[in-house]
Amino acid sequence: MTESIKSLFTRDLNQLKKEIEAYQDEENIWKIDKDILNSAGNLSLHLVGNINHFIGSILGNSGYVRNRELEFSLKNIPRTELIEKIEKTIEVVHSSLDQLSEEDLKKEYLIEALGYKMTTEYFLIHLFGHLGYHLGQINYHRRLLDV
């Protein structure tokens, strides 16, 4: 199961990189319009922060300190820096999940991140769904606003 989860996170984080690279105009990564209140850049920072916190810091003891507010307030970070953050996040997923055994997945996750107790496996599946949700938003953001 750990290898499957690692593979899926890697696949979708690589897709996130492709989405950011696909913007024809780099400035549009940070564009908001009407009811689209989160830019692709901020959603990317949010995903990187979320994964580095819940997988890297909590499970992998990476020392990462999350500042969730900055994930949504920072603007105009160069595309190359976003890509680098995503690539480092892939490395964190690998190093953190490589530390887990199948037995660890069945154990209770270390914090009640959703307000209730759950297994580590359950929470990792939740995090993967969260990644997919925002990845879809970024895809639509690019197709709607990168014109």
Side-chain angles (χ1 to χ4, degrees):
M1 182 66 148
T2 306
E3 287 302 313
S4 295
I5 292 171
K6 189 168 63 171
S7 175
L8 290 168
F9 270 98
T10 301
R11 180 196 71 189
D12 281 7
L13 286 167
N14 278 319
Q15 185 59 42
L16 175 59
K17 274 181 21 183
K18 288 178 186 172
E19 287 292 339
I20 297 302
E21 290 167 343
Y23 278 82
Q24 293 180 24
D25 184 343
E26 186 171 345
E27 289 181 15
N28 289 338
I29 293 170
W30 299 96
K31 190 174 183 180
I32 57 173
D33 186 48
K34 296 179 186 139
D35 291 331
I36 301 174
L37 302 178
N38 289 316
S39 70
N42 289 115
L43 289 172
S44 296
L45 291 173
H46 172 60
L47 287 169
V48 163
N50 188 62
I51 293 168
N52 274 284
H53 176 70
F54 288 116
I55 295 178
S57 181
I58 303 294
L59 294 177
N61 297 309
S62 68
Y64 179 84
V65 177
R66 186 178 191 187
N67 187 336
R68 191 175 188 280
E69 185 178 304
L70 285 180
E71 295 167 15
F72 293 99
S73 63
L74 290 174
K75 304 290 179 210
N76 301 317
I77 293 171
R79 180 192 331 240
T80 55
E81 190 175 329
L82 281 176
I83 300 289
E84 183 178 298
K85 287 177 183 294
I86 296 165
E87 289 172 345
K88 286 182 180 176
T89 301
I90 293 170
E91 293 172 14
V92 165
V93 166
H94 283 246
S95 64
S96 299
L97 295 183
D98 282 345
Q99 297 176 41
L100 299 181
S101 68
E102 294 298 319
E103 293 168 354
D104 291 331
L105 293 177
K106 303 299 180 199
K107 292 178 183 173
E108 191 174 296
Y109 188 68
L110 297 170
I111 61 173
E112 291 185 15
L114 301 176
Y116 53 87
K117 294 177 195 260
M118 70 203 87
T119 64
T120 298
E121 178 180 68
Y122 179 94
F123 191 58
L124 287 171
I125 293 168
H126 164 79
L127 290 175
F128 178 68
H130 178 260
L131 170 58
Y133 177 76
H134 288 311
L135 183 57
Q137 288 179 317
I138 291 166
N139 175 270
Y140 268 90
H141 179 277
R142 179 181 54 76
R143 292 188 288 142
L144 288 169
L145 300 181
D146 189 36
V147 289

